[in-house]
Amino acid sequence: MRSKLRCVTALTVIGLVAGCAGTISPVSSRDKDTSGTYDGTWVARHVHTTDTQTYQDWRFSCSKPMDAIALTVAQGVIKPANTKTRLETFVSSTGRFRLEVPLRAKASESGGSDFSIDDGKMTIILSGNLAESKRRGKMVLGVSQFGNSGCTSKFVFEREQS
């Protein structure tokens, strides 16, 4: 019998509302883009979320996250736009990035589950590639106990015109 994980929806994080939602590694500061190729304003637009997703013996009930996330890139540093948060990461010279947002909320199992979650700390991970030929990525609402696997949604990245 599978265990069910109840994802916490309607979490307000850095001005974003996240739903249940990897594997691009973080970009180091020495590998960040210094050419200005990706500098500007970007929008990550939701494309698809599967309602039920699995990881090992766990079944995740996932909901669509926000429709769009505004991002800014300046001197190879990407961060959510219009927020006072200091959450930021680097974009590589090839356009890769991975932005991690730790949450205060914790995941819990559903009432009918045969197993329990011992480490329910949650993190939103937005990762992808801004290179013109790629411009897609994903958002994961990850649970620590599962190596930050969890509900995954697909996104595309669009550059805003100045």
Side-chain angles (χ1 to χ4, degrees):
M1 180 170 172
R2 289 192 182 264
S3 299
K4 287 181 89 175
L5 173 72
R6 182 181 67 233
C7 289
V8 180
T9 56
L11 299 170
T12 303
V13 180
I14 60 171
L16 307 173
V17 178
C20 285
T23 29
I24 291 177
S25 57
V27 175
S28 70
S29 61
R30 75 176 192 282
D31 293 330
K32 78 174 182 174
D33 177 63
T34 57
S35 69
T37 301
Y38 306 105
D39 287 5
T41 304
W42 293 80
V43 176
R45 296 204 189 281
H46 176 263
V47 177
H48 177 76
T49 301
T50 302
D51 293 340
T52 302
Q53 300 178 33
T54 59
Y55 175 77
Q56 295 177 350
D57 288 335
W58 289 86
R59 185 173 61 230
F60 298 97
S61 297
C62 304
S63 61
K64 174 184 167 187
M66 72 291 299
D67 289 325
I69 304 165
L71 302 165
T72 58
V73 179
Q75 299 176 346
V77 176
I78 188 168
K79 63 183 180 177
N82 304 319
T83 65
K84 294 180 182 179
T85 183
R86 296 190 92 127
L87 294 171
E88 59 186 31
T89 194
F90 304 111
V91 176
S92 75
S93 59
T94 61
R96 287 183 315 102
F97 73 94
R98 177 183 169 112
L99 180 65
E100 298 184 20
V101 181
L103 303 176
R104 290 186 182 159
K106 294 197 178 216
S108 62
E109 66 280 349
S110 68
S113 179
D114 295 336
F115 303 101
S116 12
I117 295 177
D118 299 319
D119 186 0
K121 287 185 261 180
M122 297 169 68
T123 302
I124 291 177
I125 303 166
L126 180 65
S127 62
N129 197 314
L130 301 178
E132 191 164 346
S133 63
K134 299 182 181 163
R135 294 204 176 155
R136 60 188 168 273
K138 62 185 174 180
M139 177 189 290
V140 177
L141 181 58
V143 179
S144 183
Q145 182 167 324
F146 308 122
N148 277 332
S149 291
C151 291
T152 302
S153 299
K154 294 179 182 179
F155 279 77
V156 294
F157 302 105
E158 300 171 358
R159 188 176 221 147
E160 294 290 292
Q161 300 300 319
S162 304

